[in-house]
């Protein structure tokens, strides 16, 4: 290896070991685990307790709390907490939100779905609310801790952390549930809130944080709430972009929420699910993130987003093939591996596109709004139709339907490229950080 080659290699690695991107990784770990607790993990728990499919998929409504988080994000920004507020606006809220998440997960651990499904619903919603609040604080802390040149690397590190937090917590819950019961499993997983809390205490208040205005008039408060909306909808093609944001993830959301039901009905054990989800899906996702970054750099934002949308749509069909094949470890490995690989690519390219949509004056607010809107339709349809569709059509037909449902998002984005709307609706974050189809970071 020449000195020049070694220097290029080290310069490529260095951004990943800087303080702020490493902090983004640990923040991502804590951000991911509450989602797993009310997602696939709770689905498996309810299925094993004999709850019917329609009721299980209705629990997806707990995720809707994440879609509502822009409604109270201003509280996290503007309200100074008593007693611990001297630690800083972000650090104090990080600690409070972390404690709320741990308490909510512990509460979910102690309810019994078989005897009180109503209490389980409330407990799941509380986890969703606490997890969404945690996300608000984590996103703000991460953005303000990262310097502009670190935003791309920081986003990737956050995704790595999120995946590790969600997958490892979910797998740990499955393994522990088979040995010590679901209560002990959930209580153990509550500790995944600690990495973000410790990160805040070690690093302190973000260097780029601006102290909130302690006294606000009604007009200033109203402007801070509606400003991100009005700015976005003044752009060319904003409504079309919003439609894309709303529909692009419907097929993926529908397919994923019933995945654990499929695996349970096919006779896969908790240990088998944990092994293949972590041993195959986890690594496939990490590889997908790397490949997503590579194709984003090579072919640009627009084409990389389009190809990732195609891959994510096709990946749903792999579970239809698994459903037709029956209990097959090789089939499970292939389906989970392909789906996670495609999701990893999309997790880089689509998220980069959403970041480029932001106006730099409203980055946190607009990104929260965009990320919330990106899954709300899929979650509503999942909660109201997914279980019934599986019971009516069976798993094979259901997964082919989810593949077809994903296609309108693919074709809409292709048309947006051809018509120039992708460029016209981009925010100044996209122009400043990544000029037309350039790298997210120079």
């Amino acid at each position: 290896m020449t000195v020049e080659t070694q220097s290029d290699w080290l310069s490529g690695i260095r951004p990943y070991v800087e303080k702020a991107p490493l902090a983004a990784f640990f923040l991502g770990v804590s951000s991911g685990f509450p989602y797993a607790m009310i997602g696939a993990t709770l689905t498996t728990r309810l299925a094993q307790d004999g709850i019917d499919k329609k009721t299980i998929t209705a629990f997806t409504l707990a995720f809707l709390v994440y879609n509502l988080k822009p409604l109270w994000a201003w509280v996290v920004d503007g309200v100074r907490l008593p007693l611990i507020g001297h630690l800083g606006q972000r650090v104090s809220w990080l600690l409070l939100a972390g404690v709320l998440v741990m308490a909510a997960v512990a509460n979910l651990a102690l309810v019994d779905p078989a005897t009180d499904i109503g209490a389980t619903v409330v407990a799941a919603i509380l986890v969703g609310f606490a997890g969404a609040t945690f996300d608000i604080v984590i996103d703000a802390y991460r953005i303000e801790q990262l310097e502009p040149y670190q935003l791309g690397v920081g986003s990737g590190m956050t995704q790595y952390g999120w995946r590790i937090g969600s997958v490892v917590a979910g797998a740990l819950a499955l393994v522990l549930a088979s040995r010590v019961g679901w209560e002990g499993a959930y209580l153990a997983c509550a500790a995944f809130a600690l990495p973000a809390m410790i990160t805040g205490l070690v690093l302190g208040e973000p260097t780029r944080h601006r102290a909130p205005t302690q006294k606000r008039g009604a007009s200033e408060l109203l402007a801070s709430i509606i400003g991100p909306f009005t700015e976005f909808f003044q752009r060319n093609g904003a409504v079309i972009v919003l439609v894309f944001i709303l529909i692009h993830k419907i097929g993926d959301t529908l397919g994923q929420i019933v995945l654990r039901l499929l695996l349970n009905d096919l006779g896969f054990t908790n240990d088998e699910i944990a092994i293949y989800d972590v041993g195959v899906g986890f690594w496939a996702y990490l590889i997908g993130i790397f490949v997503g970054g590579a194709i984003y750099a090579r072919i640009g934002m627009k084409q990389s987003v389009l190809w990732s949308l195609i891959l994510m749509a096709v990946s749903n069909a792999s579970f239809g093939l698994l459903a037709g094949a029956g209990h097959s470890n090789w089939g499970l490995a292939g389906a989970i591996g392909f789906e996670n690989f495609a999701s990893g690519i999309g997790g880089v390219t689509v998220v980069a596109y959403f970041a480029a949509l932001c106006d730099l004056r409203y980055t946190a607010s607009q990104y929260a709004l965009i990320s919330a809107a990106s899954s709300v339709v899929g979650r509503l349809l999942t909660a109201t139709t997914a279980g019934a569709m599986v019971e009516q059509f069976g798993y094979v037909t259901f997964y082919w339907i989810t593949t077809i449902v994903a296609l309108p998002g693919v074709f809409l984005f292709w048309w947006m490229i051809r018509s120039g709307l992708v460029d016209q609706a981009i925010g100044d974050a996209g122009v400043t950080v990544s000029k037309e189809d350039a790298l997210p970071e120079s």
Side-chain angles (χ1 to χ4, degrees):
M1 180 182 291
T2 66
V3 174
E4 183 178 351
T5 302
Q6 185 177 20
S7 177
D8 290 341
W9 183 81
L10 290 174
S11 64
I13 295 295
R14 190 174 296 113
Y16 289 92
V17 295
E18 292 175 345
K19 180 178 68 173
L22 285 175
F25 171 81
F26 291 109
L27 293 169
V29 170
S30 293
S31 176
F33 101 91
Y35 201 89
M37 294 298 95
I38 56 175
T41 303
L42 184 58
T43 298
T44 301
R45 180 184 182 185
L46 295 173
Q48 292 180 351
D49 282 345
I51 308 299
D52 64 89
K53 292 181 176 64
K54 291 181 181 179
T55 302
I56 292 173
T57 55
F59 270 80
T60 309
L61 290 172
F63 287 120
L64 286 175
V65 180
Y66 279 87
N67 297 98
L68 301 176
K69 63 185 179 182
L71 296 179
W72 69 90
W74 63 272
V75 177
V76 175
D77 272 336
V79 175
R80 184 178 175 84
L81 295 174
L83 302 179
I84 61 173
H86 69 278
L87 295 173
Q89 185 74 8
R90 297 305 183 207
V91 174
S92 60
W93 270 99
L94 199 60
L95 295 177
L96 175 62
V99 170
L100 290 176
V101 166
M102 296 175 76
V105 171
N107 180 55
L108 183 59
L110 299 177
V111 298
D112 184 0
T115 59
D116 195 344
I117 195 67
T120 307
V121 170
V122 172
I125 292 174
L126 289 175
V127 172
F129 175 78
T133 304
F134 209 16
D135 267 5
I136 293 170
V137 189
I138 284 173
D139 286 338
Y141 190 96
R142 170 177 56 86
I143 292 168
E144 293 170 2
Q145 190 68 251
L146 293 166
E147 294 296 330
Y149 76 92
Q150 297 173 319
L151 288 175
V153 171
S155 296
M157 291 292 278
T158 300
Q159 291 177 58
Y160 278 125
W162 195 96
R163 186 62 174 179
I164 288 174
S166 60
V167 170
V168 175
L172 178 64
L174 288 173
V175 172
L176 290 178
S178 300
R179 292 158 175 79
V180 299
W182 283 107
E183 295 83 359
Y186 269 76
L187 289 173
C189 288
F192 278 82
L194 294 176
M197 299 167 72
I198 294 172
T199 297
L201 287 172
V202 171
L203 296 186
E205 197 72 352
T207 55
R208 296 202 295 156
H209 175 63
R210 296 181 182 178
T213 302
Q214 296 302 316
K215 295 182 179 180
R216 288 183 173 181
S219 60
E220 185 179 355
L221 177 61
L222 182 62
S224 68
I225 295 173
I226 69 172
F229 293 95
T230 56
E231 188 284 327
F232 181 82
F233 284 104
Q234 287 172 355
R235 304 179 198 172
N236 256 347
V239 174
I240 300 299
V241 173
L242 177 61
V243 171
F244 168 74
I245 292 170
L246 290 170
I247 71 169
H248 84 284
K249 205 175 180 180
I250 293 176
D252 184 65
T253 306
L254 280 170
Q256 285 304 300
I257 196 63
V258 302
L259 175 57
R260 288 297 174 85
L261 298 178
L262 168 65
L263 302 186
N264 187 68
D265 286 349
L266 290 179
F268 290 102
T269 66
N270 285 357
D271 286 353
E272 286 175 327
I273 296 171
I275 288 170
Y276 287 101
D277 205 7
V278 175
V280 176
F282 173 71
W283 292 107
Y285 186 81
L286 298 189
I287 294 170
I289 290 175
F290 178 81
V291 172
I295 66 171
Y296 187 75
R298 179 63 61 87
I299 65 177
M301 179 183 70
K302 290 179 286 191
Q303 292 301 318
S304 62
V305 170
L306 181 62
W307 281 106
S308 66
L309 292 171
I310 294 171
L311 284 174
M312 288 190 291
V314 174
S315 69
N316 278 353
S318 65
F319 291 108
L321 297 175
L322 174 64
H327 190 290
S328 165
N329 287 339
W330 282 108
L332 178 61
I336 285 183
F338 181 33
E339 193 279 330
N340 280 273
F341 177 74
S343 294
I345 294 175
V348 172
T349 61
V350 177
V351 168
Y353 171 57
F354 287 167
L357 287 171
C358 294
D359 184 290
L360 290 174
R361 295 170 297 172
Y362 308 111
T363 303
S365 298
Q366 288 185 346
Y367 190 80
L369 293 169
I370 291 168
S371 61
S374 69
S375 57
V376 64
V377 175
R379 286 173 183 169
L380 284 171
L381 289 176
T382 298
T384 56
T385 65
M389 288 174 66
V390 168
E391 291 182 347
Q392 181 175 354
F393 301 114
Y395 287 110
V396 175
T397 302
F398 170 79
Y399 273 104
W400 283 109
I401 291 174
T402 64
T403 302
I404 295 171
V405 167
L407 295 180
V410 176
F411 288 116
L412 179 58
F413 193 78
W414 172 82
W415 179 80
M416 288 164 58
I417 293 174
R418 294 292 300 271
S419 65
L421 284 183
V422 172
D423 293 321
Q424 294 170 24
I426 217 74
D428 63 357
V431 175
T432 303
V433 178
S434 55
K435 296 177 182 179
E436 184 181 2
D437 274 348
L439 295 175
E441 294 181 80
S442 57

